[in-house]
Amino acid sequence: MKADHFDQQKLLALAAEDIALGQLAHRRRTLPENAAVESATERERELSAAVVRAETGVRDLQREVGRLEGDVETVRARVTRDQGLLDSGSVSAKQMTDLQHEMQSLARRKSDLEDQELELMEQLETAEAALAGARSGHEAVQAELERARQLRDDALADIADGTAQHETARAEAAARIPGDLLALYERVRTQTGGTGAAVLKARQCQGCRIELNGRELAAVRNADPHEVVRCENCGRILVRTAESGL
Ligand SMILES: [Zn+2]
């Protein structure tokens, strides 16, 4: 295939845009800000679960305290009732003795329950402190996650801007290249996954960084300047310039 030597040189501007676009795509894929968001998300999930666990612990203890308070109330009512009966003077001597025994046992029961309640209140206090700690840790990681997302979004917006600029420049560079040469470039680019042309500089293909051997070099040297030559190694169109070392 033949193409004007100067048109071939225009391929380098196109290749430069493809390199820039490739770098931007690579940056988008490997963005450290993405990893930061992922790790903050993971921590947020963990701390959110810790808050739920701590809330459950507090609720369970509160329920337990409530149950004990109910028991104490029942005992208290019973004592009041018994005391009322004793005060009424309308019970027999036997009933009076029974009531006095019951009141002693109720007093012990009440004291037991109050001890238990006290112990539970201490546990509840500890659990509430743990919940407050879990909540503040969760709030901190939520703020951290928000910051990480903002940084990631900023980086992505930056990449999107750069991509739009290089896509415009690429379209302009492509518009200056004859159709058949551009079609060949695009075919090669699909194969290499990067660029379709590279400059030959100091006998080295700048696409794959391989230096041409003697036979290859002789072939390129002897080729018509308008002949489209390709790198035997990577397949790219080799663009010859004054710096090619021919
Ligand atoms: Zn090459």
Side-chain angles (χ1 to χ4, degrees):
M1 177 180 171
K2 281 190 188 275
D4 184 90
H5 182 61
F6 290 106
D7 285 337
Q8 290 188 42
Q9 295 201 351
K10 291 175 190 165
L11 290 173
L12 295 178
L14 187 60
E17 294 306 329
D18 281 334
I19 288 169
L21 286 167
Q23 284 166 345
L24 285 164
H26 179 260
R27 198 182 145 209
R28 187 169 44 225
R29 279 195 306 274
T30 58
L31 212 57
E33 286 86 348
N34 266 333
V37 169
E38 273 168 35
S39 100
T41 303
E42 181 60 32
R43 276 203 307 286
E44 194 275 335
R45 252 199 302 272
E46 285 166 10
L47 290 180
S48 167
V51 168
V52 171
R53 277 197 304 276
E55 281 170 348
T56 306
V58 167
R59 249 198 326 273
D60 287 351
L61 286 167
Q62 281 170 339
R63 211 173 7 244
E64 195 70 4
V65 169
R67 193 181 60 75
L68 276 177
E69 278 171 352
D71 288 353
V72 170
E73 206 39 58
T74 305
V75 171
R76 221 176 259 140
R78 190 70 180 258
V79 169
T80 307
R81 193 205 64 162
D82 289 357
Q83 191 63 55
L85 281 172
L86 284 174
D87 293 348
S88 73
S90 62
V91 292
S92 66
K94 160 103 176 60
Q95 279 175 320
M96 190 172 282
T97 313
D98 287 350
L99 281 171
Q100 278 164 347
H101 279 146
E102 185 178 277
M103 282 184 76
Q104 279 167 8
S105 118
L106 285 172
R108 279 196 303 277
R109 169 90 176 122
K110 185 161 167 281
S111 160
D112 278 357
L113 287 171
E114 281 167 351
D115 286 350
Q116 285 178 41
E117 195 183 346
L118 206 61
E119 199 177 307
L120 270 181
M121 294 300 282
E122 277 170 16
Q123 286 177 22
L124 181 58
E125 211 169 287
T126 308
E128 279 169 344
L131 174 58
R135 278 184 177 146
S136 86
H138 184 231
E139 276 166 22
V141 81
Q142 276 178 320
E144 189 189 319
L145 177 58
E146 201 172 311
R147 268 196 308 278
R149 281 185 177 140
Q150 186 60 54
L151 287 174
R152 185 218 31 212
D153 292 348
D154 290 351
L156 285 176
D158 205 36
I159 291 170
D161 278 356
T163 302
Q165 282 168 23
H166 283 292
E167 273 169 355
T168 303
R170 186 190 196 276
E172 285 165 6
R176 289 193 283 266
I177 297 164
D180 53 350
L181 183 59
L182 181 62
L184 174 63
Y185 175 94
E186 296 293 10
R187 262 202 315 282
V188 177
R189 183 172 74 95
T190 308
Q191 286 156 15
T192 65
T195 55
V199 68
L200 176 66
K201 189 175 179 186
R203 303 177 177 187
Q204 193 189 55
C205 165
Q206 296 303 299
C208 62
R209 309 272 167 182
I210 297 282
E211 193 169 323
L212 272 58
N213 66 32
R215 180 189 52 77
E216 290 165 337
L217 205 60
V220 173
R221 189 181 290 132
N222 295 328
D224 184 294
H226 301 308
E227 182 69 34
V228 175
V229 296
R230 309 265 301 270
C231 170
E232 287 189 18
N233 182 56
C234 67
R236 285 184 178 83
I237 299 165
L238 273 180
V239 178
R240 285 154 289 172
T241 71
E243 292 182 340
S244 289
L246 294 170

